[in-house]
Amino acid sequence: DTAVSQTPKYLVTQMGNDKSIKCEQNLGHDTMYWYKQDSKKFLKIMFSYNNKELIINETVPNRFSPKSPDKAHLNLHINSLELGDSAVYFCASSQVSGGNEKLFFGSGTQLSVL
Amino acid sequence: AQSVTQLGSHVSVSEGALVLLRCNYSSSVPPYLFWYVQYPNQGLQLLLKYTSAATLVKGINGFEAEFKKSETSFHLTKPSAHMSDAAEYFCAVSDSGGYQKVTFGTGTKLQVIP
């Protein structure tokens, strides 16, 4: 069973379009994240949600709007896509309760904006 | 502020040779340090984690890393490279232990030559 699954795996779209990436985790974790990995492989956190509430928003343009309908899902909606949005987007989850916690990543969504 | 620097974006080793991937960190408090591996078209997987217990941390797949405070380093090693080790490796640091504020390095791509 896939722990953190995100869809689609590949997304090719035109500038100016609106698109969404979905993420689901079946680990029962309280916290979910979106990371952006650019062409230079730099991985940077975008958002973090804990129990459906936003706890981190790292200077991401407001064209990006995460939505968490429940703690197992964290979707990413992007309005008015720009060329610079092309990247691989990773969803992740963790259980923030101390102890031996781990960050589990999805397999990524490669977004190409043309 | 916390940061990590990975020395060398590409490292090539022969199969059976020692693997050494370098990581230096900067943190204002005692850090938590991580190494992640990313195989092609997959998300990141945790290799090992340092949490201020033993300075030599053993991870999965025969990897280990040693925390050296005096050198602010957390280099990743493996005595004998295997073809399956070819991947991208990311060093990461957190000053809180939790994953909300993990900062990743830019990655080192390991090539294993038969």
Side-chain angles (χ1 to χ4, degrees), chain A residues 9-10 33 35 37 40-43 45 48 55-56 58 90 94 96 101-103 105-107, chain B residues 34 36 38 41-46 49 88 90 97-107:
Chain A
K9 190 171 178 62
Y10 300 97
Y33 312 78
Y35 284 84
Q37 186 179 43
K40 296 181 179 179
K41 296 291 187 178
F42 184 59
L43 190 66
I45 191 169
S48 174
I55 55 174
I56 291 178
E58 289 286 325
F90 286 99
S94 72
V96 185
E101 58 196 286
K102 287 173 60 175
L103 189 61
F105 283 86
S107 56
Chain B
F34 313 82
Y36 281 85
Q38 183 180 25
N41 300 315
Q42 294 186 29
L44 282 75
Q45 301 172 38
L46 182 67
K49 175 181 176 180
E88 189 111 25
F90 291 86
Y99 287 100
Q100 294 92 331
K101 283 290 187 180
V102 173
T103 301
F104 287 86
T106 50

Side-chain angles (χ1 to χ4, degrees), chain B:
Chain B
Q2 58 189 28
S3 66
V4 288
T5 302
Q6 292 184 239
L7 302 175
S9 58
H10 287 82
V11 170
S12 292
V13 300
S14 298
E15 191 174 15
L18 171 72
V19 176
L20 171 60
L21 304 182
R22 299 177 187 273
C23 173
N24 288 88
Y25 70 90
S26 171
S27 176
S28 56
V29 298
Y32 294 80
L33 294 158
F34 313 82
W35 274 100
Y36 281 85
V37 60
Q38 183 180 25
Y39 297 103
N41 300 315
Q42 294 186 29
L44 282 75
Q45 301 172 38
L46 182 67
L47 273 179
L48 48 82
K49 175 181 176 180
Y50 167 75
T51 57
S52 75
T55 55
L56 182 63
V57 183
K58 293 187 184 298
I60 61 172
N61 301 339
F63 284 93
E64 61 183 35
E66 186 172 9
F67 172 71
K68 291 188 177 179
K69 184 179 177 181
S70 60
E71 299 177 7
T72 60
S73 69
F74 191 58
H75 301 331
L76 181 71
T77 60
K78 182 174 180 178
S80 177
H82 193 272
M83 295 299 294
S84 61
D85 295 327
E88 189 111 25
Y89 292 81
F90 291 86
C91 183
V93 63
S94 169
D95 60 8
S96 65
Y99 287 100
Q100 294 92 331
K101 283 290 187 180
V102 173
T103 301
F104 287 86
T106 50
T108 297
K109 190 167 187 176
L110 175 66
Q111 181 185 19
V112 181
I113 303 167

Side-chain angles (χ1 to χ4, degrees), chain A residues 4-5 15 18 20-21 23 25 33 38 41 43-44 46 50 56 63 70 72-73 80 95-96 98 109:
Chain A
V4 181
S5 60
M15 267 198 316
D18 303 337
S20 293
I21 307 173
C23 179
Q25 54 98 1
Y33 312 78
D38 63 23
K41 296 291 187 178
L43 190 66
K44 188 173 181 181
M46 299 173 67
N50 184 267
I56 291 178
R63 298 182 296 103
D70 54 62
H73 295 83
S80 303
Q95 186 68 4
V96 185
T109 295

